[in-house]
Amino acid sequence: MLEQQALFDQAHQIVFLTGAGVSTASGIPDFRSANGLYKQNQNAEYFLSHRYFQSDPEGFYQFCKDNLYFPDAKPNVIHEKQAAYTKLDKATVITQNIDNLYELAGTKRLVDFHGNLFDVYCEKCGAHVPVEEYLTSRLHKLDQGPLRPNIVLYDEVISQVAINQSLAAMQAADLIVVVGTSMKVYPFASLLEYAKPGVKILAVNQEPLELPGNFEMVVADATDFFGQLEVR
Ligand code: CNA
């Protein structure tokens, strides 16, 4: 049995704070690991900015299609176990991921802190269109306006709804579990400041993390950890 199983069994409200490391086992590379996008592409943050979207719309479109979209990816055991806790009303997932895998896993309480690649809209008229349409053309067929995924680009702000939902979940949590994230992107990383004083914080990550305050670090592949975890 997992050494940390009792923590999960005793918790009433868990918050999972997650990132790209949750989806590497589904075949989607993360950003900052050895095989991550940043190692191959030093300018990734610029390519994922609204400034770039406006100055080189075709380049932005190609970059997204080549590096972000994995339409065949499926949820793995990490998404599934976390989703199972939300179905028992015992957890909320707050994720930086934009890959739609938590939705596919049926996660009930989910905050897509950085939006979702599979939600696409026209910046000219605001209409939402199916992702398949975007993957065929970057221009809206009704008004030729620029289509874009509803994700938070590096020079854009987080939606107020996502912030409010995240803060409410953090303040209600009696266990916080950080999974598969380097916790280097702000304001996501600041969410930890909103935890109740003294609340237990557990981090499960392939590389050791530095987090403020007291926390328990499990250096492991999160698929192993969640594979062993019994949801009950
Ligand atoms: P990151 O900075 O690339 O960090 C990922 C972390 O996960 C690293 O510390 C890895 O060691 C760790 N990791 C990788 N695989 C595993 C595993 N199997 N088990 C345990 N740990 C693992 O990514 P962050 O999410 O921290 O950075 C935030 C960015 C990345 C957000 O803006 C995301 O939108 C963006 N991103 C999202 C996706 C996605 O949606 N799947 C993919 C790549 C990047």
Side-chain angles (χ1 to χ4, degrees), residues 7-212:
L7 278 179
F8 287 83
D9 292 347
Q10 285 156 15
H12 298 287
Q13 282 304 327
I14 306 169
V15 165
F16 293 106
L17 290 176
T18 78
V22 161
S23 295
T24 50
S26 296
I28 303 178
D30 62 11
F31 274 0
R32 292 176 186 81
S33 289
N35 299 322
L37 185 60
Y38 282 10
K39 291 281 160 12
Q40 300 155 33
N41 206 317
Q42 306 295 329
N43 277 332
E45 283 195 19
Y46 175 61
F47 289 141
L48 291 172
S49 68
H50 193 263
R51 202 154 54 98
Y52 183 59
F53 170 74
Q54 280 182 312
S55 66
D56 180 5
E58 185 59 35
F60 176 88
Y61 180 60
Q62 284 308 329
F63 186 83
C64 288
K65 283 217 298 187
D66 293 347
N67 296 290
L68 301 186
Y69 281 95
F70 294 84
D72 298 330
K74 303 267 182 306
N76 62 56
V77 67
I78 315 170
H79 303 101
E80 278 157 9
K81 294 274 175 94
Q82 293 178 3
Y85 274 112
T86 70
K87 290 173 197 164
L88 295 174
D89 278 331
K90 280 187 73 173
T92 301
V93 175
I94 309 175
T95 189
Q96 298 165 92
N97 292 349
I98 50 181
D99 57 22
N100 207 40
L101 294 187
Y102 278 112
E103 279 84 352
L104 291 181
T107 311
K108 240 181 78 186
R109 275 190 272 153
L110 172 65
V111 183
D112 280 328
F113 204 75
H114 291 159
N116 187 322
L117 278 171
F118 292 76
D119 177 18
V120 174
Y121 68 97
C122 170
E123 261 205 5
K124 189 170 169 193
C125 71
H128 289 252
V129 305
V131 68
E132 295 75 20
E133 196 176 313
Y134 180 58
L135 293 175
T136 318
S137 164
R138 65 175 182 82
L139 296 176
H140 189 195
K141 59 183 176 205
L142 293 186
D143 60 8
Q144 299 305 301
L147 294 173
R148 60 163 287 180
N150 193 7
I151 58 172
V152 181
L153 298 172
Y154 275 96
D155 47 0
E156 294 182 321
V157 297
I158 309 294
S159 90
Q160 198 57 47
V161 173
I163 290 178
N164 293 347
Q165 289 175 341
S166 301
L167 296 188
M170 289 301 290
Q171 282 156 9
D174 57 2
L175 173 63
I176 292 166
V177 188
V178 175
V179 190
T181 168
S182 58
M183 291 298 265
K184 287 193 176 133
V185 173
Y186 286 83
F188 183 87
S190 321
L191 288 175
L192 280 179
E193 291 167 24
Y194 295 87
K196 279 189 291 206
V199 77
K200 176 78 187 178
I201 300 175
L202 177 69
V204 183
N205 206 65
Q206 225 157 43
E207 299 159 346
L209 298 178
E210 283 172 33
L211 301 177

